[in-house]
């Protein structure tokens, strides 16, 4: 399965998280955890969610790597 975390430049920094259908991962929950940790707002469903965060894109990537590795994905 695949989990994708996309980010880019902007104010706030845009983030999109999506997963393939065969992965038991809730993108909406992940976005809520990310916005709590990094600041920002967002939401979505289990298969796809988006946010605008107050952190730089490299911080978003570091957070995502740590969080996904902790979930053993």
């Amino acid at each position: 399965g695949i989990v994708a975390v996309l980010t880019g430049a902007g104010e706030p920094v845009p983030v999109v998280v999506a997963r393939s259908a065969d992965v038991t991962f809730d993108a909406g929950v992940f976005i809520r955890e990310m916005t709590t940790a990094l600041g920002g707002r967002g939401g979505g469903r289990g298969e796809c969610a988006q946010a605008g965060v107050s952190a730089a894109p490299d911080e978003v990537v570091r957070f995502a790597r740590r969080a996904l590795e902790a979930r053993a994905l």
Side-chain angles (χ1 to χ4, degrees):
I2 296 172
V3 174
V5 179
L6 307 171
T7 188
E11 287 286 329
V13 173
V15 180
V16 175
V17 179
R19 65 157 169 86
S20 57
D22 60 334
V23 177
T24 57
F25 170 81
D26 191 318
V29 169
F30 186 77
I31 283 289
R32 282 191 292 280
E33 292 171 0
M34 180 180 286
T35 57
T36 298
L38 301 179
R41 296 175 44 177
R45 298 186 311 248
E47 62 277 356
C48 186
Q50 62 184 5
V53 297
S54 303
D58 59 328
E59 293 177 70
V60 171
V61 172
R62 276 195 299 274
F63 175 88
R65 282 191 178 142
R66 283 193 308 265
L68 292 171
E69 287 171 356
R71 288 174 166 84
L73 293 175

